[in-house]
Amino acid sequence: MVLLTLFALAMWRGWRWLLAIVSLAALALAALIYIGAGASTRAEAMAEGCVGSAYPVAAVLAALAVLAFVRFWQKLG
């Protein structure tokens, strides 16, 4: 939630330095979620119905990071 709040604040206020930091953090978190989706413990939890798929969350975080980079480059140009 903190990451999304900082992302919204950076987009609203136009703070490029915060936008760059938040988008890199979102991209790193998306990569970690994607990598961790294949863990055996997670597979067991999914089989029991305790957790859902991690791919939609990773896709949304990656999309937010791409959106932030696009906005960042538009502000520079």
Side-chain angles (χ1 to χ4, degrees):
M1 293 306 290
V2 172
L3 189 64
L4 291 175
T5 303
L6 287 175
F7 180 79
L9 181 67
M11 290 288 276
W12 177 56
R13 299 288 290 176
W15 294 337
R16 285 176 279 204
W17 60 273
L18 182 60
L19 191 60
I21 292 169
V22 170
S23 60
L24 286 175
L27 197 58
L29 184 60
L32 288 174
I33 289 172
Y34 181 75
I35 291 169
S40 63
T41 307
R42 182 166 180 82
E44 291 174 11
M46 283 184 72
E48 292 178 2
C50 297
V51 295
S53 178
Y55 298 121
V57 174
V60 167
L61 282 172
L64 284 175
V66 168
L67 176 67
F69 281 125
V70 167
R71 180 162 168 100
F72 179 76
W73 286 112
Q74 285 177 348
K75 289 282 188 178
L76 288 178

